[in-house]
């Protein structure tokens, strides 16, 4: 009887152990399967998107050699470095060089040979005019080419979101815009403690002896009037209504009419003597006479738009007005 009992106990223990193993193995297998599924879900995959011109563009899963000329602000905002950066004969976007220092340049008109030499795996173009004629076909033979189109390209917020979508970074793009709005509100409140919301401002650019004024709905104009609530002078409203570009030529006589409290001044003629600033009419402008002229070099972000550019412009305004 004792031997029989011992045999039954041993058999019971053995059967219990055998019965437990499949359950344990099943749980482990389920966990492994879940982990594998999650990994597969998180891994970027090749996608096909339709651009503004109706092209179906196959976007690589992980593009690493991107050319997005004059869209570098948007890339930097997403933590992406292009394989080449926009340039013109007299310079680059210097305000971005903290992030783009050392990145080779490519001419603004994107010569085919130069584009090919960088062996891009994705090309992002802003305006349709850049790829007019047979240019799109040439670029698309080099690498997948996505055209944003003027409707998106002319609105830096839409541009940021679209590039986020293209690069599978939509969440990062939206967060950047949300953080931007918070920062803009914060700086506006600080400026209002000084201005009371009643002080006017304008941005003037001097280049090759001629003055230009920024339109009220783009670049530094948008920042001053729409983001920070500075008052728009009548002269700016008048010129902006007929503007065909971001910056419009303005005569010295029109400048003299502008009774503005703050004048933000981008001086591209600094190295040539800035002779135009010696004109008595310039000296008679109220903001100039009252010491409320704030000067910036051409390397500043005042000529550009985007999260990075606008944040720097806002900080420049805050540092100028809020003492």
């Amino acid at each position: 009887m004792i031997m029989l009992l011992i045999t039954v106990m041993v058999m019971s223990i053995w059967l219990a152990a055998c019965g437990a193993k499949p359950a344990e193995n099943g749980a482990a297998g389920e966990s492994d399967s879940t982990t594998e599924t999650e990994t597969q879900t998180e891994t970027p995959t090749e996608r096909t998107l339709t651009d503004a011109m109706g092209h179906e563009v196959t976007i690589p899963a992980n593009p690493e050699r991107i050319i997005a000329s004059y869209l570098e602000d948007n890339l930097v905002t997403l933590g992406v470095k292009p394989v080449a950066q926009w340039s013109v004969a007299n310079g680059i976007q210097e305000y971005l060089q903290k992030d783009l220092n050392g990145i080779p340049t490519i001419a603004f008109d994107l010569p085919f040979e130069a584009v090919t030499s960088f062996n891009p795996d994705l090309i992002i173009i802003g305006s349709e005019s850049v790829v007019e004629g047979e240019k799109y076909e040439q670029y698309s033979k080099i690498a997948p080419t996505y055209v944003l189109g003027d409707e998106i390209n002319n609105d830096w917020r839409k541009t940021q979101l679209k590039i986020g979508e293209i690069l599978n970074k939509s969440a990062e793009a939206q967060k950047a815009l949300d953080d931007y709005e918070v920062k803009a509100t914060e700086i506006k409140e600080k400026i209002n403690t000084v201005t009371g919301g009643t002080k006017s401002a304008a941005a003037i650019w001097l280049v090759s002896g001629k003055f230009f004024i920024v339109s009220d709905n783009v670049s530094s104009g948008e920042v001053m009037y729409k983001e920070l609530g500075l008052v728009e002078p009548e002269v700016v409203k008048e010129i902006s209504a007929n503007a065909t570009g971001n910056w419009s030529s303005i005569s010295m006589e029109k400048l003299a009419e502008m009774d503005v409290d703050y004048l933000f001044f981008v001086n591209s003629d600094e190295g040539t003597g800035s002779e135009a600033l010696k004109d008595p009419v310039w000296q008679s402008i109220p903001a100039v006479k009252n010491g409320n002229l704030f000067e910036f070099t051409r390397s500043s972000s005042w000529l550009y738009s985007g999260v990075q550019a606008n944040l720097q412009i806002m900080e420049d305004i805050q540092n100028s007005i809020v003492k």
Side-chain angles (χ1 to χ4, degrees), residues 60-71:
N62 290 293
E64 297 179 349
R65 301 183 63 81
I66 301 170
I67 291 180
S69 183
Y70 212 64
L71 297 168

Side-chain angles (χ1 to χ4, degrees), residues 241-317:
N242 301 303
T244 57
N246 290 1
W247 294 80
S248 302
S249 178
I250 182 171
S251 66
M252 191 68 78
E253 290 70 28
K254 276 292 184 183
L255 277 174
E257 293 178 18
M258 194 164 55
D259 186 9
V260 66
D261 295 300
Y262 303 114
L263 197 58
F264 300 100
F265 175 54
V266 181
N267 188 359
S268 289
D269 284 2
E270 185 178 18
T272 62
S274 306
E275 292 297 319
L277 302 185
K278 299 174 184 178
D279 192 305
V281 177
W282 172 263
Q283 297 294 333
S284 69
I285 296 173
V288 176
K289 289 196 304 182
N290 298 333
N292 286 328
L293 173 70
F294 306 104
E295 185 171 333
F296 303 95
T297 66
R298 58 178 293 176
S299 64
S300 69
S301 69
W302 279 76
L303 306 178
Y304 305 94
S305 294
V307 171
Q308 305 304 314
N310 290 7
L311 285 174
Q312 291 183 36
I313 292 169
M314 285 193 290
E315 289 173 356
D316 285 342
I317 294 174

